[in-house]
Amino acid sequence: MARERLVVVGADAAGMTAATNARRIRPEAELTIDAFDTGDYSSYAACGIPYFVGGLVDELDRLVARRPEEFRERQQISVHLAHEVTEIDPARGAVRVQPREGEARWEPYDHLMVAIGADPIRPPLPGLDADGVFGVHALDDGSAIRRWVDDTRPERAVVVGGGYVSLEMAEAFAMLGLETHLVEMAPQPMTTLDPDMSELVSEGLRDFGVQLHLGTRVEGFDVTGGRVRAVRTEAGPVEAGVVALGLGVRPNVALAEAAGIGIGPSGGIAVDDHQRTSVERIFSGGDCAEKWHRVSRQPVAIALGTHANKQGRVAGINIAGGDAAFPGVVGTAATKVCALEVARTGLTTADAEAAGFRPVGVVARASTRAGYYPGGGPITTKLVVDEPSGRLLGGQIVGREGAAKRIDVVAVAVWNEMTVGELLNLDLSYAPPYSPVWDPVLVAARKAVGTEG
Amino acid sequence: MARERLVVVGADAAGMTAATNARRIRPEAELTIDAFDTGDYSSYAACGIPYFVGGLVDELDRLVARRPEEFRERQQISVHLAHEVTEIDPARGAVRVQPREGEARWEPYDHLMVAIGADPIRPPLPGLDADGVFGVHALDDGSAIRRWVDDTRPERAVVVGGGYVSLEMAEAFAMLGLETHLVEMAPQPMTTLDPDMSELVSEGLRDFGVQLHLGTRVEGFDVTGGRVRAVRTEAGPVEAGVVALGLGVRPNVALAEAAGIGIGPSGGIAVDDHQRTSVERIFSGGDCAEKWHRVSRQPVAIALGTHANKQGRVAGINIAGGDAAFPGVVGTAATKVCALEVARTGLTTADAEAAGFRPVGVVARASTRAGYYPGGGPITTKLVVDEPSGRLLGGQIVGREGAAKRIDVVAVAVWNEMTVGELLNLDLSYAPPYSPVWDPVLVAARKAVGTEG
């Protein structure tokens, strides 16, 4: 067999996982692997940035999982940083690579993995480019924010947006001792939760000293001398010495689209369950690619490292001639917001209605540990249930230590299309340090079937 | 409809859950409910005793979930403590009740719930009844142990047995500052784990200062002046100022057997999935009753509050004319042993072989949190997999904080008869404070399918 070449565009989670999985199956004598990335890091943990800013992680370097030298030594994979792929030519089977310094060149491929992630949403607001306004996406954003805070010693921070990263950034700024404000257009933070559960998150933020400006549209930024002074909102200005933007991301698809690769209804690159795109020999995965949602039965664009790793694994195995399928997602996510653990899976009540179900929500309050065991705390569990069938469609949890990871039980139950009647009888672990006799998730299930006793 | 009467024998988890669930469906005008119990407490948490002895729980009273007055006031259920049921006469539909003081009497029933729990195993060893030798079963055992320790100030404690309660008692004694020894006949503590996982538990005990005497049979107790001085083993005496016996329990079936109620192969009262015994109008549940094991497809006698509550709920609903079924167990259990969290579900490798599977075990070491996030610790996950089919048969976890509750994912996967190939793609929650990008359970699954990358 002639030696083949895999080219990977984007050297982060999906791309490098594809590369390492392909390598596991085929040695370098059969398959050379080259990965190109516009940036200066390979395989880094963007989700760790808020913890670096807040001081929980002391060195930005710790967020880099693996360096190019390691890929070369351990897996004979060549990673080329500061190399932008500017064009894909499927007919030629080649990509055009532009190094940050030097001449562009064409690199041929037998298999191509497009894993170029998602881009932060940056609406065209006046003042967006002022000094002191930062995205929270690349590792360099983390070091830039921390340097700015160290150098300018701002008194007030404003976070724009109400998603996971925004809340984590609000916590980070508050931990640094800044007066922290959060401005969000929606009437609630975390729109991936039902409003009643999101309200618990708002309370947790306020208890931690974060001031919330909800239902408030940002109109721009007041800038003096090139430097941000306030976030301008429809309700008036909010003074700011530093601003973090967490307005979400959208799949980065321009390169693929220009090459004629099909884009799906969610806005991500369309892929089948083997991570094949519409164009032969081109695979995709990670934040730029769609995922199949097993409950709504729709493709979705969810940017999350767990999916990127799994899709990358599947792509790599298939590229190397193996056979693996990605079975989809159920929308599980978790975060820590100040003293609260927050997690969700499946469909919210609104999502479920939109998907044609007839959902009811059931909320149960319980404790994370046996009542007599020290250190327990409140936990609120909401289950979203299809009323006619009793099928579990989703769940949301907000509570103290030990709360968030319980969402995994709900996630596996949703995955297996269990009803709440089945859920309530699950044989979950019990010991006083970890749980009451009825686990909080089962308490909610019992309530859903109407037999709390 | 004429008013009926439910008599409950045993006023703990299964019995009182049956009572409250029956009450939820049928008011007192339709159904009177009387519960009889030999002891002095209703609905107490025996599993909390080690935490009371160790000083984590300050009042024994806190282990009592609900008192007779509360059952009377809230649910019109009469609980008669210090009333032993000595005979069941199914033909008459009555039980003979012997109050601790006063005359025995016959109490008629329309429905009978037998929930008399399990008895601690007490082998006929010389010296077993000496002062300073205690069981760990009833609430009074807890107060007796603590009083003995306070009064006699022993320097050394010996725990006999290596199950959950024994390990928790060893931790409790060590926390009180006693030199603590554990003597176990089997070559490992926790025979519900595979030996390699159990070895991690042994290490955790030794690190905490507990001295282990494994593979060592107890032959009796040295007693002077009525008081225990040492545990006599085949390897010599182990000095002891206080001894706790944790030799396991067996279903308490004598009362049922004498009444002609069928006993199953596991030694517990045989029940169908509606908790009906072989005798009409007599139900059973909890530690005295069998449970159906969904993986081995055999009845088992597992004494655990979670099952007692669920079987009690099912019995109560059916007694009141509703329709509920108990779908069985997968053998999930958890405990905290010194600094370690320990959990298991499904079949061990040996169990799986005995059940006719062809198991392989896969062990993966990972971290409870993202590598860069503070506070994470090691976690070892073992999956037991049927090699020909890839079906997940069980799992075991030993690790630091955040480890044990992860067994629930494995439990739900085992429950749904998932393969490890399906398991590895599960959409579990990820956030740096809770998990690496690949959850430790998924790392083990990936290893089981041979595609770690």
Side-chain angles (χ1 to χ4, degrees), chain B residues 384-406:
Chain B
V384 178
V385 183
D386 182 47
E387 194 161 34
S389 65
R391 180 177 161 194
L392 183 68
L393 301 174
Q396 299 159 44
I397 295 178
V398 178
R400 295 290 168 143
E401 195 174 335
K405 261 298 192 181
R406 282 184 155 91

Side-chain angles (χ1 to χ4, degrees), chain A residues 113-398:
Chain A
M113 174 70 184
V114 178
I116 44 182
D119 281 334
I121 293 171
R122 288 175 67 89
L125 295 169
L128 190 72
D129 294 322
D131 292 342
V133 179
F134 299 93
V136 190
H137 190 66
L139 277 199
D140 289 338
D141 293 332
S143 47
I145 296 171
R146 199 141 127 182
R147 207 161 42 233
W148 178 265
V149 169
D150 288 347
D151 291 351
T152 70
R153 305 250 160 224
E155 284 176 16
R156 291 169 44 129
V158 178
V159 176
V160 181
Y164 295 80
V165 173
S166 297
L167 302 187
E168 289 159 6
M169 284 304 298
E171 179 183 4
F173 284 132
M175 282 176 71
L176 291 177
L178 278 70
E179 180 185 317
T180 302
H181 296 252
L182 185 142
V183 184
E184 162 64 37
M185 197 168 62
Q188 63 176 83
M190 292 193 121
T191 51
T192 54
L193 300 180
D194 280 2
D196 55 338
M197 296 299 282
S198 172
E199 179 55 33
L200 301 177
V201 177
S202 295
E203 284 169 19
L205 285 162
R206 289 191 195 103
D207 288 348
F208 204 69
V210 177
Q211 297 180 45
L212 303 182
H213 308 258
L214 301 175
T216 305
R217 186 185 302 269
V218 169
E219 295 174 336
F221 301 87
D222 288 336
V223 181
T224 317
R227 185 167 156 177
V228 69
R229 301 296 170 181
V231 176
R232 226 161 51 224
T233 79
E234 54 183 347
V238 184
E239 268 182 57
V242 58
V243 175
L245 300 174
L247 295 165
V249 297
R250 63 166 67 96
N252 185 349
V253 297
L255 180 70
E257 206 167 15
I261 296 171
I263 308 301
S266 77
I269 295 171
V271 287
D272 67 10
D273 70 351
H274 279 54
Q275 301 304 128
R276 291 181 285 238
T277 68
S278 64
V279 174
E280 221 173 338
R281 298 190 292 149
I282 302 183
F283 292 73
S284 184
D287 294 357
C288 61
E290 292 194 329
K291 283 102 202 161
W292 176 251
H293 197 297
R294 293 169 63 94
V295 189
S296 69
R297 309 201 70 72
Q298 297 290 332
V300 290
I302 295 174
L304 203 58
T306 50
H307 307 326
N309 273 279
K310 293 197 188 85
Q311 289 192 320
R313 176 185 165 276
V314 167
I317 291 171
N318 292 322
I319 286 168
D323 181 14
F326 182 69
V329 304
V330 293
T332 312
T335 187
K336 189 180 151 300
V337 181
C338 306
L340 290 179
E341 299 195 357
V342 184
R344 54 97 61 222
T345 191
L347 304 180
T348 60
T349 304
D351 291 342
E353 274 162 11
F357 294 102
R358 280 176 43 201
V360 287
V362 179
V363 176
R365 286 173 184 80
S367 173
T368 53
R369 297 181 174 188
Y372 55 81
Y373 196 93
I379 172 172
T380 304
T381 306
K382 181 168 192 171
L383 298 180
V384 178
V385 183
D386 182 47
E387 193 160 35
S389 65
R391 180 178 161 193
L392 182 67
L393 302 173
Q396 299 159 44
I397 294 178
V398 179

Side-chain angles (χ1 to χ4, degrees), chain B residues 62-73:
Chain B
R62 299 201 56 205
L63 303 185
V64 178
R66 215 182 280 186
R67 269 155 232 301
E69 310 84 80
E70 298 173 69
F71 284 111
R72 185 68 244 163
E73 278 164 31

Side-chain angles (χ1 to χ4, degrees), chain B residues 278-295:
Chain B
S278 64
V279 175
E280 220 172 340
R281 299 189 294 151
I282 303 184
F283 293 73
S284 185
D287 293 356
C288 60
E290 293 194 329
K291 285 100 202 162
W292 177 251
H293 197 297
R294 294 169 62 93
V295 188

Side-chain angles (χ1 to χ4, degrees), chain B residues 362-437:
Chain B
V362 179
V363 176
R365 287 174 184 80
S367 172
T368 55
R369 299 182 174 186
Y372 54 82
Y373 195 93
I379 172 172
T380 305
T381 306
K382 180 168 192 172
L383 299 179
V384 178
V385 183
D386 182 47
E387 194 161 34
S389 65
R391 180 177 161 194
L392 183 68
L393 301 174
Q396 299 159 44
I397 295 178
V398 178
R400 295 290 168 143
E401 195 174 335
K405 261 298 192 181
R406 282 184 155 91
I407 204 68
D408 288 349
V409 164
V410 185
V412 185
V414 167
W415 184 281
N416 285 289
E417 303 186 12
M418 296 180 84
T419 65
V420 279
E422 291 166 341
L423 180 67
L424 91 84
N425 278 310
L426 282 177
D427 186 1
L428 303 185
S429 58
Y430 161 65
Y434 311 130
S435 178
V437 172

